[in-house]
Amino acid sequence: MRHLISPLDFSVEELDKLLSLAKDISENPKKYSKCCEGKKLATLFYEPSTRTRLSFEAAMLNLGGSVLGFSSADSSSAAKGESVSDTIRVISCYADICAMRHPKEGAPMVAASKSGIPVINAGDGGHQHPTQTLTDLLTIKALKGKLGNMTIGLCGDLKFGRTVHSLIHSLVRYENIKFVLISPKELRVPDYIKEDVLDEHGVEYKEVENLEDVMGELDILYMTRVQRERFFNEDDYIRMKDFYILDTAKMQLAKDDMLVLHPLPRVNEISVDVDDDPRAAYFKQAQYGVYVRMALIMTLLEVSLDEQ
Ligand code: NCD
């Protein structure tokens, strides 16, 4: 049985297969509408979410399956003190696959070790968010036609932003990727990622504070929200929350084919005026998130079109 806990749980070849399946689903969604008939997805969300939970649910419904679950820790037995390990043992009796989001780093991994069904990490604290990475990879591949030979700017909260951590882990496996890490000093990429991932793979990167200065170099600009819920101190959050605001003036400095991605939700970091720019890809990205989660559910449940 397979789980998806880290973005590295799939090899590059397996990822290629999964992204090709997601592409076919995006082109022929009807063909897949009965693939998971009779199967159930449980969404166990101990932390708030709109996109991730609903895109998982939409993905399973699009495949003809059904969904059950909870959307906050308060409405689950966690409020009574039940451990994640016990919860997953019970859920294994009710569902065929589950997606779990948890504020504690490592919780989905603990769950997977006790689970009778595939567990998908739908975000664990400030650690990883592998299905957002699948979404990001599919978006880049669909709109740029490639995953290598690019300069990628990651901007905003690179310390607590789990989407950034997972994306870096994944992209270093492709050829000729360069990173420009754009953040205030306090919100830089953690050292363990610089040392164990970037340096380890010999990937070129630089850390800067000013977005305008590097805008013209980028093929992709990945904007992120300052992660308020992970700050210990509200004053620090207030000081940093509007550090970067991407607006139409800054977009004029960018290449004509640069793409702007954002995992969403957006707060202030992208002005709404940018939404009409053809290079703004963040709402398309949300749509790709459903296709890639359909492909992921099929892959982990080992169902294919041929079986129908
Ligand atoms: C991200 C997350 O939860 O980490 N959202 C998402 O899943 N699309 C990004 C964020 O909350 O800022």
Side-chain angles (χ1 to χ4, degrees), residues 148-159:
N149 300 308
M150 267 182 276
T151 300
I152 313 223
L154 302 169
C155 178
D157 186 347
L158 309 187
K159 178 177 181 187

Side-chain angles (χ1 to χ4, degrees), residues 7 15 18-19 51-52 129-147 150 152 154 161-171 174 220-224 259-264 281-282 284-290 292-293:
L15 262 182
L18 193 132
L19 296 179
R51 248 153 313 275
T52 306
H129 193 344
T131 63
Q132 181 63 47
T133 297
L134 296 180
T135 304
D136 302 339
L137 296 179
L138 180 63
T139 308
I140 298 172
K141 187 142 190 212
L143 301 180
K144 282 269 180 209
K146 59 180 183 179
L147 285 169
M150 267 182 276
I152 313 223
L154 302 169
R162 55 193 173 195
T163 61
V164 165
H165 303 164
S166 287
L167 189 57
I168 294 177
H169 271 88
S170 223
L171 280 174
Y174 296 91
I220 306 274
L221 172 59
Y222 194 93
M223 294 296 295
T224 62
L259 291 180
V260 184
L261 268 61
H262 189 310
L264 303 178
Y282 30 92
K284 281 187 206 143
Q285 197 179 348
Q287 177 66 64
Y288 285 123
V290 178
V292 92
R293 288 183 175 98

Side-chain angles (χ1 to χ4, degrees), residues 46 70 72-80 87:
Y46 294 85
F70 54 82
S72 79
D74 307 342
S75 61
S76 78
S77 282
K80 298 182 189 165
T87 304

